[in-house]
PDB file of all heavy atoms in Angstrom:
ATOM      1  N   ALA Z   1     -22.367   0.963 -10.850  1.00 98.00           N
ATOM      2  CA  ALA Z   1     -21.438   1.142  -9.739  1.00 98.00           C
ATOM      3  C   ALA Z   1     -19.996   0.943 -10.199  1.00 98.00           C
ATOM      4  O   ALA Z   1     -19.094   1.697  -9.816  1.00 98.00           O
ATOM      5  CB  ALA Z   1     -21.773   0.172  -8.615  1.00 98.00           C
ATOM      6  N   ALA Z   2     -19.779  -0.073 -11.031  1.00 98.00           N
ATOM      7  CA  ALA Z   2     -18.421  -0.371 -11.505  1.00 98.00           C
ATOM      8  C   ALA Z   2     -17.859   0.749 -12.376  1.00 98.00           C
ATOM      9  O   ALA Z   2     -16.643   0.965 -12.409  1.00 98.00           O
ATOM     10  CB  ALA Z   2     -18.426  -1.680 -12.283  1.00 98.00           C
ATOM     11  N   TRP Z   3     -18.738   1.472 -13.073  1.00 98.00           N
ATOM     12  CA  TRP Z   3     -18.303   2.537 -13.979  1.00 98.00           C
ATOM     13  C   TRP Z   3     -18.391   3.929 -13.345  1.00 98.00           C
ATOM     14  O   TRP Z   3     -18.177   4.937 -14.015  1.00 98.00           O
ATOM     15  CB  TRP Z   3     -19.117   2.502 -15.270  1.00 98.00           C
ATOM     16  CG  TRP Z   3     -18.679   1.431 -16.215  1.00 98.00           C
ATOM     17  CD1 TRP Z   3     -19.057   0.128 -16.225  1.00 98.00           C
ATOM     18  CD2 TRP Z   3     -17.743   1.572 -17.298  1.00 98.00           C
ATOM     19  NE1 TRP Z   3     -18.424  -0.562 -17.239  1.00 98.00           N
ATOM     20  CE2 TRP Z   3     -17.620   0.301 -17.919  1.00 98.00           C
ATOM     21  CE3 TRP Z   3     -17.007   2.646 -17.806  1.00 98.00           C
ATOM     22  CZ2 TRP Z   3     -16.780   0.075 -19.014  1.00 98.00           C
ATOM     23  CZ3 TRP Z   3     -16.169   2.427 -18.902  1.00 98.00           C
ATOM     24  CH2 TRP Z   3     -16.065   1.152 -19.496  1.00 98.00           C
ATOM     25  N   THR Z   4     -18.677   3.997 -12.060  1.00 98.00           N
ATOM     26  CA  THR Z   4     -18.779   5.294 -11.377  1.00 98.00           C
ATOM     27  C   THR Z   4     -17.422   5.981 -11.288  1.00 98.00           C
ATOM     28  O   THR Z   4     -16.422   5.352 -10.936  1.00 98.00           O
ATOM     29  CB  THR Z   4     -19.364   5.110  -9.959  1.00 98.00           C
ATOM     30  OG1 THR Z   4     -20.699   4.620 -10.068  1.00 98.00           O
ATOM     31  CG2 THR Z   4     -19.373   6.418  -9.191  1.00 98.00           C
ATOM     32  N   THR Z   5     -17.394   7.260 -11.606  1.00 98.00           N
ATOM     33  CA  THR Z   5     -16.143   8.026 -11.589  1.00 98.00           C
ATOM     34  C   THR Z   5     -16.384   9.414 -10.989  1.00 98.00           C
ATOM     35  O   THR Z   5     -17.484   9.752 -10.580  1.00 98.00           O
ATOM     36  CB  THR Z   5     -15.578   8.197 -13.007  1.00 98.00           C
ATOM     37  OG1 THR Z   5     -16.563   8.861 -13.826  1.00 98.00           O
ATOM     38  CG2 THR Z   5     -15.229   6.866 -13.636  1.00 98.00           C
ATOM     39  N   GLY Z   6     -15.328  10.207 -10.958  1.00 98.00           N
ATOM     40  CA  GLY Z   6     -15.430  11.618 -10.574  1.00 98.00           C
ATOM     41  C   GLY Z   6     -15.885  11.846  -9.144  1.00 98.00           C
ATOM     42  O   GLY Z   6     -15.577  11.084  -8.232  1.00 98.00           O
ATOM     43  N   ASP Z   7     -16.657  12.914  -8.964  1.00 98.00           N
ATOM     44  CA  ASP Z   7     -17.100  13.310  -7.626  1.00 98.00           C
ATOM     45  C   ASP Z   7     -17.969  12.243  -6.976  1.00 98.00           C
ATOM     46  O   ASP Z   7     -17.937  12.067  -5.755  1.00 98.00           O
ATOM     47  CB  ASP Z   7     -17.869  14.634  -7.707  1.00 98.00           C
ATOM     48  CG  ASP Z   7     -16.972  15.813  -8.054  1.00 98.00           C
ATOM     49  OD1 ASP Z   7     -15.745  15.681  -7.875  1.00 98.00           O
ATOM     50  OD2 ASP Z   7     -17.506  16.841  -8.516  1.00 98.00           O
ATOM     51  N   ARG Z   8     -18.751  11.542  -7.805  1.00 98.00           N
ATOM     52  CA  ARG Z   8     -19.625  10.515  -7.248  1.00 98.00           C
ATOM     53  C   ARG Z   8     -18.802   9.369  -6.666  1.00 98.00           C
ATOM     54  O   ARG Z   8     -19.167   8.800  -5.636  1.00 98.00           O
ATOM     55  CB  ARG Z   8     -20.569   9.999  -8.334  1.00 98.00           C
ATOM     56  CG  ARG Z   8     -21.763   9.236  -7.786  1.00 98.00           C
ATOM     57  CD  ARG Z   8     -22.810   8.986  -8.850  1.00 98.00           C
ATOM     58  NE  ARG Z   8     -24.028   8.442  -8.277  1.00 98.00           N
ATOM     59  CZ  ARG Z   8     -25.110   8.130  -8.986  1.00 98.00           C
ATOM     60  NH1 ARG Z   8     -25.114   8.324 -10.301  1.00 98.00           N
ATOM     61  NH2 ARG Z   8     -26.174   7.639  -8.395  1.00 98.00           N
ATOM     62  N   LEU Z   9     -17.705   9.024  -7.324  1.00 98.00           N
ATOM     63  CA  LEU Z   9     -16.827   7.969  -6.811  1.00 98.00           C
ATOM     64  C   LEU Z   9     -16.172   8.417  -5.508  1.00 98.00           C
ATOM     65  O   LEU Z   9     -16.104   7.644  -4.544  1.00 98.00           O
ATOM     66  CB  LEU Z   9     -15.760   7.625  -7.852  1.00 98.00           C
ATOM     67  CG  LEU Z   9     -14.718   6.582  -7.444  1.00 98.00           C
ATOM     68  CD1 LEU Z   9     -15.380   5.232  -7.184  1.00 98.00           C
ATOM     69  CD2 LEU Z   9     -13.633   6.438  -8.520  1.00 98.00           C
ATOM     70  N   LYS Z  10     -15.710   9.653  -5.469  1.00 98.00           N
ATOM     71  CA  LYS Z  10     -15.054  10.166  -4.262  1.00 98.00           C
ATOM     72  C   LYS Z  10     -16.033  10.236  -3.095  1.00 98.00           C
ATOM     73  O   LYS Z  10     -15.688   9.930  -1.947  1.00 98.00           O
ATOM     74  CB  LYS Z  10     -14.462  11.548  -4.538  1.00 98.00           C
ATOM     75  CG  LYS Z  10     -13.284  11.522  -5.511  1.00 98.00           C
ATOM     76  CD  LYS Z  10     -12.768  12.916  -5.793  1.00 98.00           C
ATOM     77  CE  LYS Z  10     -11.620  12.880  -6.805  1.00 98.00           C
ATOM     78  NZ  LYS Z  10     -11.155  14.249  -7.145  1.00 98.00           N
ATOM     79  N   ALA Z  11     -17.275  10.615  -3.393  1.00 98.00           N
ATOM     80  CA  ALA Z  11     -18.288  10.678  -2.335  1.00 98.00           C
ATOM     81  C   ALA Z  11     -18.596   9.278  -1.801  1.00 98.00           C
ATOM     82  O   ALA Z  11     -18.766   9.090  -0.588  1.00 98.00           O
ATOM     83  CB  ALA Z  11     -19.562  11.335  -2.876  1.00 98.00           C
ATOM     84  N   ALA Z  12     -18.643   8.302  -2.719  1.00 98.00           N
ATOM     85  CA  ALA Z  12     -18.899   6.924  -2.307  1.00 98.00           C
ATOM     86  C   ALA Z  12     -17.735   6.382  -1.477  1.00 98.00           C
ATOM     87  O   ALA Z  12     -17.940   5.640  -0.511  1.00 98.00           O
ATOM     88  CB  ALA Z  12     -19.121   6.048  -3.532  1.00 98.00           C
ATOM     89  N   ALA Z  13     -16.524   6.768  -1.844  1.00 98.00           N
ATOM     90  CA  ALA Z  13     -15.349   6.331  -1.088  1.00 98.00           C
ATOM     91  C   ALA Z  13     -15.392   6.912   0.317  1.00 98.00           C
ATOM     92  O   ALA Z  13     -15.043   6.239   1.300  1.00 98.00           O
ATOM     93  CB  ALA Z  13     -14.075   6.769  -1.800  1.00 98.00           C
ATOM     94  N   ASP Z  14     -15.838   8.154   0.414  1.00 98.00           N
ATOM     95  CA  ASP Z  14     -15.909   8.822   1.709  1.00 98.00           C
ATOM     96  C   ASP Z  14     -16.996   8.195   2.582  1.00 98.00           C
ATOM     97  O   ASP Z  14     -16.810   8.014   3.790  1.00 98.00           O
ATOM     98  CB  ASP Z  14     -16.205  10.315   1.501  1.00 98.00           C
ATOM     99  CG  ASP Z  14     -16.030  11.111   2.782  1.00 98.00           C
ATOM    100  OD1 ASP Z  14     -14.939  11.060   3.378  1.00 98.00           O
ATOM    101  OD2 ASP Z  14     -17.001  11.771   3.201  1.00 98.00           O
ATOM    102  N   LYS Z  15     -18.118   7.839   1.968  1.00 98.00           N
ATOM    103  CA  LYS Z  15     -19.246   7.272   2.711  1.00 98.00           C
ATOM    104  C   LYS Z  15     -19.075   5.784   2.995  1.00 98.00           C
ATOM    105  O   LYS Z  15     -19.249   5.340   4.137  1.00 98.00           O
ATOM    106  CB  LYS Z  15     -20.536   7.508   1.934  1.00 98.00           C
ATOM    107  CG  LYS Z  15     -21.772   6.887   2.586  1.00 98.00           C
ATOM    108  CD  LYS Z  15     -23.019   7.110   1.726  1.00 98.00           C
ATOM    109  CE  LYS Z  15     -24.249   6.453   2.347  1.00 98.00           C
ATOM    110  NZ  LYS Z  15     -25.473   6.657   1.515  1.00 98.00           N
ATOM    111  N   TRP Z  16     -18.751   5.023   1.960  1.00 98.00           N
ATOM    112  CA  TRP Z  16     -18.724   3.568   2.067  1.00 98.00           C
ATOM    113  C   TRP Z  16     -17.317   2.983   2.233  1.00 98.00           C
ATOM    114  O   TRP Z  16     -17.112   2.055   3.015  1.00 98.00           O
ATOM    115  CB  TRP Z  16     -19.387   2.936   0.846  1.00 98.00           C
ATOM    116  CG  TRP Z  16     -20.838   3.267   0.700  1.00 98.00           C
ATOM    117  CD1 TRP Z  16     -21.404   4.101  -0.218  1.00 98.00           C
ATOM    118  CD2 TRP Z  16     -21.916   2.789   1.515  1.00 98.00           C
ATOM    119  NE1 TRP Z  16     -22.767   4.176  -0.044  1.00 98.00           N
ATOM    120  CE2 TRP Z  16     -23.106   3.367   1.011  1.00 98.00           C
ATOM    121  CE3 TRP Z  16     -21.998   1.925   2.600  1.00 98.00           C
ATOM    122  CZ2 TRP Z  16     -24.362   3.116   1.565  1.00 98.00           C
ATOM    123  CZ3 TRP Z  16     -23.237   1.668   3.160  1.00 98.00           C
ATOM    124  CH2 TRP Z  16     -24.401   2.260   2.644  1.00 98.00           C
ATOM    125  N   GLY Z  17     -16.358   3.514   1.474  1.00 98.00           N
ATOM    126  CA  GLY Z  17     -15.005   2.975   1.537  1.00 98.00           C
ATOM    127  C   GLY Z  17     -14.396   3.092   2.925  1.00 98.00           C
ATOM    128  O   GLY Z  17     -13.832   2.132   3.462  1.00 98.00           O
ATOM    129  N   LYS Z  18     -14.538   4.274   3.517  1.00 98.00           N
ATOM    130  CA  LYS Z  18     -13.977   4.493   4.854  1.00 98.00           C
ATOM    131  C   LYS Z  18     -14.640   3.591   5.900  1.00 98.00           C
ATOM    132  O   LYS Z  18     -13.981   3.059   6.790  1.00 98.00           O
ATOM    133  CB  LYS Z  18     -14.136   5.956   5.253  1.00 98.00           C
ATOM    134  CG  LYS Z  18     -13.225   6.913   4.493  1.00 98.00           C
ATOM    135  CD  LYS Z  18     -13.430   8.346   4.964  1.00 98.00           C
ATOM    136  CE  LYS Z  18     -12.514   9.314   4.230  1.00 98.00           C
ATOM    137  NZ  LYS Z  18     -12.730  10.714   4.651  1.00 98.00           N
ATOM    138  N   LYS Z  19     -15.957   3.428   5.782  1.00 98.00           N
ATOM    139  CA  LYS Z  19     -16.676   2.596   6.736  1.00 98.00           C
ATOM    140  C   LYS Z  19     -16.248   1.131   6.618  1.00 98.00           C
ATOM    141  O   LYS Z  19     -16.062   0.438   7.620  1.00 98.00           O
ATOM    142  CB  LYS Z  19     -18.186   2.716   6.495  1.00 98.00           C
ATOM    143  CG  LYS Z  19     -19.054   1.806   7.350  1.00 98.00           C
ATOM    144  CD  LYS Z  19     -18.897   2.082   8.846  1.00 98.00           C
ATOM    145  CE  LYS Z  19     -19.542   3.393   9.240  1.00 98.00           C
ATOM    146  NZ  LYS Z  19     -19.500   3.600  10.722  1.00 98.00           N
ATOM    147  N   CYS Z  20     -16.075   0.664   5.383  1.00 98.00           N
ATOM    148  CA  CYS Z  20     -15.652  -0.717   5.142  1.00 98.00           C
ATOM    149  C   CYS Z  20     -14.268  -0.968   5.730  1.00 98.00           C
ATOM    150  O   CYS Z  20     -14.025  -1.997   6.371  1.00 98.00           O
ATOM    151  CB  CYS Z  20     -15.656  -0.978   3.635  1.00 98.00           C
ATOM    152  SG  CYS Z  20     -15.161  -2.633   3.159  1.00 98.00           S
ATOM    153  N   ILE Z  21     -13.371  -0.012   5.535  1.00 98.00           N
ATOM    154  CA  ILE Z  21     -12.011  -0.140   6.062  1.00 98.00           C
ATOM    155  C   ILE Z  21     -12.025  -0.118   7.584  1.00 98.00           C
ATOM    156  O   ILE Z  21     -11.378  -0.929   8.250  1.00 98.00           O
ATOM    157  CB  ILE Z  21     -11.110   0.992   5.524  1.00 98.00           C
ATOM    158  CG1 ILE Z  21     -10.925   0.851   4.010  1.00 98.00           C
ATOM    159  CG2 ILE Z  21      -9.748   0.978   6.220  1.00 98.00           C
ATOM    160  CD1 ILE Z  21     -10.247   2.044   3.354  1.00 98.00           C
ATOM    161  N   ALA Z  22     -12.791   0.817   8.152  1.00 98.00           N
ATOM    162  CA  ALA Z  22     -12.847   0.960   9.609  1.00 98.00           C
ATOM    163  C   ALA Z  22     -13.429  -0.280  10.277  1.00 98.00           C
ATOM    164  O   ALA Z  22     -12.982  -0.685  11.359  1.00 98.00           O
ATOM    165  CB  ALA Z  22     -13.676   2.194   9.975  1.00 98.00           C
ATOM    166  N   ASN Z  23     -14.411  -0.911   9.645  1.00 98.00           N
ATOM    167  CA  ASN Z  23     -15.057  -2.073  10.249  1.00 98.00           C
ATOM    168  C   ASN Z  23     -14.280  -3.365  10.052  1.00 98.00           C
ATOM    169  O   ASN Z  23     -14.487  -4.340  10.778  1.00 98.00           O
ATOM    170  CB  ASN Z  23     -16.469  -2.249   9.681  1.00 98.00           C
ATOM    171  CG  ASN Z  23     -17.465  -1.289  10.319  1.00 98.00           C
ATOM    172  OD1 ASN Z  23     -17.099  -0.468  11.156  1.00 98.00           O
ATOM    173  ND2 ASN Z  23     -18.718  -1.382   9.918  1.00 98.00           N
ATOM    174  N   SER Z  24     -13.406  -3.388   9.058  1.00 98.00           N
ATOM    175  CA  SER Z  24     -12.635  -4.606   8.782  1.00 98.00           C
ATOM    176  C   SER Z  24     -11.510  -4.772   9.799  1.00 98.00           C
ATOM    177  O   SER Z  24     -10.748  -3.832  10.053  1.00 98.00           O
ATOM    178  CB  SER Z  24     -12.042  -4.560   7.374  1.00 98.00           C
ATOM    179  OG  SER Z  24     -13.055  -4.650   6.396  1.00 98.00           O
ATOM    180  N   ARG Z  25     -11.430  -5.954  10.354  1.00 98.00           N
ATOM    181  CA  ARG Z  25     -10.316  -6.233  11.276  1.00 98.00           C
ATOM    182  C   ARG Z  25      -9.001  -6.120  10.521  1.00 98.00           C
ATOM    183  O   ARG Z  25      -7.992  -5.656  11.056  1.00 98.00           O
ATOM    184  CB  ARG Z  25     -10.472  -7.620  11.902  1.00 98.00           C
ATOM    185  CG  ARG Z  25      -9.480  -7.902  13.013  1.00 98.00           C
ATOM    186  CD  ARG Z  25      -9.851  -9.135  13.790  1.00 98.00           C
ATOM    187  NE  ARG Z  25      -8.985  -9.350  14.935  1.00 98.00           N
ATOM    188  CZ  ARG Z  25      -9.178  -8.787  16.122  1.00 98.00           C
ATOM    189  NH1 ARG Z  25     -10.192  -7.973  16.307  1.00 98.00           N
ATOM    190  NH2 ARG Z  25      -8.349  -9.044  17.123  1.00 98.00           N
ATOM    191  N   PHE Z  26      -9.029  -6.545   9.275  1.00 98.00           N
ATOM    192  CA  PHE Z  26      -7.896  -6.366   8.364  1.00 98.00           C
ATOM    193  C   PHE Z  26      -8.427  -6.494   6.941  1.00 98.00           C
ATOM    194  O   PHE Z  26      -9.454  -7.144   6.702  1.00 98.00           O
ATOM    195  CB  PHE Z  26      -6.782  -7.395   8.618  1.00 98.00           C
ATOM    196  CG  PHE Z  26      -7.236  -8.823   8.554  1.00 98.00           C
ATOM    197  CD1 PHE Z  26      -7.248  -9.521   7.337  1.00 98.00           C
ATOM    198  CD2 PHE Z  26      -7.642  -9.498   9.700  1.00 98.00           C
ATOM    199  CE1 PHE Z  26      -7.669 -10.840   7.277  1.00 98.00           C
ATOM    200  CE2 PHE Z  26      -8.067 -10.823   9.646  1.00 98.00           C
ATOM    201  CZ  PHE Z  26      -8.082 -11.492   8.435  1.00 98.00           C
ATOM    202  N   LEU Z  27      -7.755  -5.869   5.997  1.00 97.00           N
ATOM    203  CA  LEU Z  27      -8.056  -6.024   4.580  1.00 97.00           C
ATOM    204  C   LEU Z  27      -7.159  -7.133   4.073  1.00 97.00           C
ATOM    205  O   LEU Z  27      -5.929  -7.042   4.176  1.00 97.00           O
ATOM    206  CB  LEU Z  27      -7.791  -4.714   3.818  1.00 97.00           C
ATOM    207  CG  LEU Z  27      -8.662  -3.522   4.206  1.00 97.00           C
ATOM    208  CD1 LEU Z  27      -8.148  -2.250   3.515  1.00 97.00           C
ATOM    209  CD2 LEU Z  27     -10.127  -3.751   3.844  1.00 97.00           C
ATOM    210  N   TRP Z  28      -7.741  -8.193   3.549  1.00 97.00           N
ATOM    211  CA  TRP Z  28      -6.930  -9.359   3.218  1.00 97.00           C
ATOM    212  C   TRP Z  28      -6.436  -9.350   1.770  1.00 97.00           C
ATOM    213  O   TRP Z  28      -7.056  -8.793   0.883  1.00 97.00           O
ATOM    214  CB  TRP Z  28      -7.655 -10.653   3.532  1.00 97.00           C
ATOM    215  CG  TRP Z  28      -8.871 -10.993   2.719  1.00 97.00           C
ATOM    216  CD1 TRP Z  28     -10.172 -10.686   2.989  1.00 97.00           C
ATOM    217  CD2 TRP Z  28      -8.892 -11.774   1.509  1.00 97.00           C
ATOM    218  NE1 TRP Z  28     -11.003 -11.204   2.027  1.00 97.00           N
ATOM    219  CE2 TRP Z  28     -10.247 -11.868   1.111  1.00 97.00           C
ATOM    220  CE3 TRP Z  28      -7.919 -12.388   0.732  1.00 97.00           C
ATOM    221  CZ2 TRP Z  28     -10.647 -12.573  -0.041  1.00 97.00           C
ATOM    222  CZ3 TRP Z  28      -8.302 -13.080  -0.408  1.00 97.00           C
ATOM    223  CH2 TRP Z  28      -9.643 -13.166  -0.787  1.00 97.00           C
ATOM    224  N   THR Z  29      -5.286  -9.997   1.575  1.00 94.00           N
ATOM    225  CA  THR Z  29      -4.698 -10.165   0.251  1.00 94.00           C
ATOM    226  C   THR Z  29      -4.416 -11.629  -0.064  1.00 94.00           C
ATOM    227  O   THR Z  29      -4.218 -11.994  -1.213  1.00 94.00           O
ATOM    228  CB  THR Z  29      -3.368  -9.377   0.127  1.00 94.00           C
ATOM    229  OG1 THR Z  29      -2.467  -9.807   1.155  1.00 94.00           O
ATOM    230  CG2 THR Z  29      -3.618  -7.881   0.257  1.00 94.00           C
ATOM    231  N   ASP Z  30      -4.395 -12.467   0.966  1.00 94.00           N
ATOM    232  CA  ASP Z  30      -4.135 -13.900   0.830  1.00 94.00           C
ATOM    233  C   ASP Z  30      -5.279 -14.642   1.521  1.00 94.00           C
ATOM    234  O   ASP Z  30      -5.547 -14.384   2.699  1.00 94.00           O
ATOM    235  CB  ASP Z  30      -2.794 -14.251   1.482  1.00 94.00           C
ATOM    236  CG  ASP Z  30      -2.390 -15.704   1.291  1.00 94.00           C
ATOM    237  OD1 ASP Z  30      -3.291 -16.559   1.131  1.00 94.00           O
ATOM    238  OD2 ASP Z  30      -1.185 -16.002   1.314  1.00 94.00           O
ATOM    239  N   PRO Z  31      -5.976 -15.541   0.821  1.00 94.00           N
ATOM    240  CA  PRO Z  31      -7.120 -16.227   1.438  1.00 94.00           C
ATOM    241  C   PRO Z  31      -6.796 -17.009   2.702  1.00 94.00           C
ATOM    242  O   PRO Z  31      -7.677 -17.248   3.524  1.00 94.00           O
ATOM    243  CB  PRO Z  31      -7.634 -17.149   0.329  1.00 94.00           C
ATOM    244  CG  PRO Z  31      -6.522 -17.263  -0.659  1.00 94.00           C
ATOM    245  CD  PRO Z  31      -5.797 -15.962  -0.579  1.00 94.00           C
ATOM    246  N   THR Z  32      -5.533 -17.386   2.881  1.00 95.00           N
ATOM    247  CA  THR Z  32      -5.184 -18.102   4.110  1.00 95.00           C
ATOM    248  C   THR Z  32      -5.408 -17.218   5.340  1.00 95.00           C
ATOM    249  O   THR Z  32      -5.666 -17.737   6.437  1.00 95.00           O
ATOM    250  CB  THR Z  32      -3.719 -18.578   4.092  1.00 95.00           C
ATOM    251  OG1 THR Z  32      -2.849 -17.455   3.886  1.00 95.00           O
ATOM    252  CG2 THR Z  32      -3.482 -19.581   2.981  1.00 95.00           C
ATOM    253  N   GLU Z  33      -5.340 -15.905   5.159  1.00 97.00           N
ATOM    254  CA  GLU Z  33      -5.566 -14.979   6.274  1.00 97.00           C
ATOM    255  C   GLU Z  33      -6.991 -15.111   6.809  1.00 97.00           C
ATOM    256  O   GLU Z  33      -7.213 -15.192   8.022  1.00 97.00           O
ATOM    257  CB  GLU Z  33      -5.332 -13.538   5.821  1.00 97.00           C
ATOM    258  CG  GLU Z  33      -3.919 -13.206   5.389  1.00 97.00           C
ATOM    259  CD  GLU Z  33      -3.803 -11.784   4.858  1.00 97.00           C
ATOM    260  OE1 GLU Z  33      -4.186 -11.538   3.697  1.00 97.00           O
ATOM    261  OE2 GLU Z  33      -3.342 -10.902   5.624  1.00 97.00           O
ATOM    262  N   ILE Z  34      -7.971 -15.123   5.900  1.00 98.00           N
ATOM    263  CA  ILE Z  34      -9.360 -15.216   6.362  1.00 98.00           C
ATOM    264  C   ILE Z  34      -9.723 -16.641   6.751  1.00 98.00           C
ATOM    265  O   ILE Z  34     -10.564 -16.845   7.631  1.00 98.00           O
ATOM    266  CB  ILE Z  34     -10.350 -14.664   5.315  1.00 98.00           C
ATOM    267  CG1 ILE Z  34     -10.128 -15.318   3.938  1.00 98.00           C
ATOM    268  CG2 ILE Z  34     -10.256 -13.159   5.247  1.00 98.00           C
ATOM    269  CD1 ILE Z  34     -11.241 -15.005   2.947  1.00 98.00           C
ATOM    270  N   ASN Z  35      -9.100 -17.626   6.122  1.00 97.00           N
ATOM    271  CA  ASN Z  35      -9.354 -19.015   6.518  1.00 97.00           C
ATOM    272  C   ASN Z  35      -9.018 -19.208   7.993  1.00 97.00           C
ATOM    273  O   ASN Z  35      -9.794 -19.793   8.761  1.00 97.00           O
ATOM    274  CB  ASN Z  35      -8.513 -19.981   5.678  1.00 97.00           C
ATOM    275  CG  ASN Z  35      -8.956 -20.048   4.229  1.00 97.00           C
ATOM    276  OD1 ASN Z  35      -9.987 -19.493   3.855  1.00 97.00           O
ATOM    277  ND2 ASN Z  35      -8.175 -20.705   3.399  1.00 97.00           N
ATOM    278  N   GLN Z  36      -7.857 -18.711   8.382  1.00 98.00           N
ATOM    279  CA  GLN Z  36      -7.402 -18.866   9.758  1.00 98.00           C
ATOM    280  C   GLN Z  36      -8.242 -18.031  10.718  1.00 98.00           C
ATOM    281  O   GLN Z  36      -8.598 -18.482  11.808  1.00 98.00           O
ATOM    282  CB  GLN Z  36      -5.924 -18.479   9.863  1.00 98.00           C
ATOM    283  CG  GLN Z  36      -4.996 -19.415   9.108  1.00 98.00           C
ATOM    284  CD  GLN Z  36      -3.581 -18.887   8.973  1.00 98.00           C
ATOM    285  OE1 GLN Z  36      -3.271 -17.797   9.451  1.00 98.00           O
ATOM    286  NE2 GLN Z  36      -2.723 -19.647   8.313  1.00 98.00           N
ATOM    287  N   ALA Z  37      -8.574 -16.797  10.292  1.00 98.00           N
ATOM    288  CA  ALA Z  37      -9.332 -15.895  11.167  1.00 98.00           C
ATOM    289  C   ALA Z  37     -10.768 -16.386  11.376  1.00 98.00           C
ATOM    290  O   ALA Z  37     -11.317 -16.276  12.476  1.00 98.00           O
ATOM    291  CB  ALA Z  37      -9.327 -14.480  10.600  1.00 98.00           C
ATOM    292  N   LEU Z  38     -11.383 -16.931  10.326  1.00 98.00           N
ATOM    293  CA  LEU Z  38     -12.726 -17.486  10.457  1.00 98.00           C
ATOM    294  C   LEU Z  38     -12.703 -18.757  11.299  1.00 98.00           C
ATOM    295  O   LEU Z  38     -13.590 -18.992  12.121  1.00 98.00           O
ATOM    296  CB  LEU Z  38     -13.315 -17.787   9.076  1.00 98.00           C
ATOM    297  CG  LEU Z  38     -13.853 -16.601   8.276  1.00 98.00           C
ATOM    298  CD1 LEU Z  38     -14.103 -16.997   6.824  1.00 98.00           C
ATOM    299  CD2 LEU Z  38     -15.138 -16.053   8.899  1.00 98.00           C
ATOM    300  N   ALA Z  39     -11.686 -19.565  11.108  1.00 98.00           N
ATOM    301  CA  ALA Z  39     -11.572 -20.825  11.860  1.00 98.00           C
ATOM    302  C   ALA Z  39     -11.439 -20.571  13.354  1.00 98.00           C
ATOM    303  O   ALA Z  39     -12.024 -21.285  14.177  1.00 98.00           O
ATOM    304  CB  ALA Z  39     -10.386 -21.638  11.343  1.00 98.00           C
ATOM    305  N   SER Z  40     -10.678 -19.550  13.720  1.00 98.00           N
ATOM    306  CA  SER Z  40     -10.448 -19.245  15.137  1.00 98.00           C
ATOM    307  C   SER Z  40     -11.573 -18.430  15.745  1.00 98.00           C
ATOM    308  O   SER Z  40     -11.670 -18.322  16.980  1.00 98.00           O
ATOM    309  CB  SER Z  40      -9.130 -18.475  15.295  1.00 98.00           C
ATOM    310  OG  SER Z  40      -9.250 -17.170  14.718  1.00 98.00           O
ATOM    311  N   GLY Z  41     -12.425 -17.838  14.902  1.00 98.00           N
ATOM    312  CA  GLY Z  41     -13.492 -16.980  15.409  1.00 98.00           C
ATOM    313  C   GLY Z  41     -13.049 -15.547  15.591  1.00 98.00           C
ATOM    314  O   GLY Z  41     -13.802 -14.708  16.110  1.00 98.00           O
ATOM    315  N   GLU Z  42     -11.834 -15.239  15.152  1.00 98.00           N
ATOM    316  CA  GLU Z  42     -11.336 -13.861  15.231  1.00 98.00           C
ATOM    317  C   GLU Z  42     -12.256 -12.926  14.431  1.00 98.00           C
ATOM    318  O   GLU Z  42     -12.504 -11.788  14.824  1.00 98.00           O
ATOM    319  CB  GLU Z  42      -9.905 -13.790  14.686  1.00 98.00           C
ATOM    320  CG  GLU Z  42      -9.309 -12.395  14.688  1.00 98.00           C
ATOM    321  CD  GLU Z  42      -7.943 -12.340  14.029  1.00 98.00           C
ATOM    322  OE1 GLU Z  42      -7.430 -13.401  13.594  1.00 98.00           O
ATOM    323  OE2 GLU Z  42      -7.383 -11.227  13.932  1.00 98.00           O
TER     324      GLU Z  42
END
């Protein structure tokens, strides 16, 4: 999976990447974001 490239990578992005983004309330970059969101139940 880590070494997947080309059309297979693009197909996976279309199938899985988009779904992951759509389902995420936000994509985090700082762990304090999820600490606070999990603590509040958001």
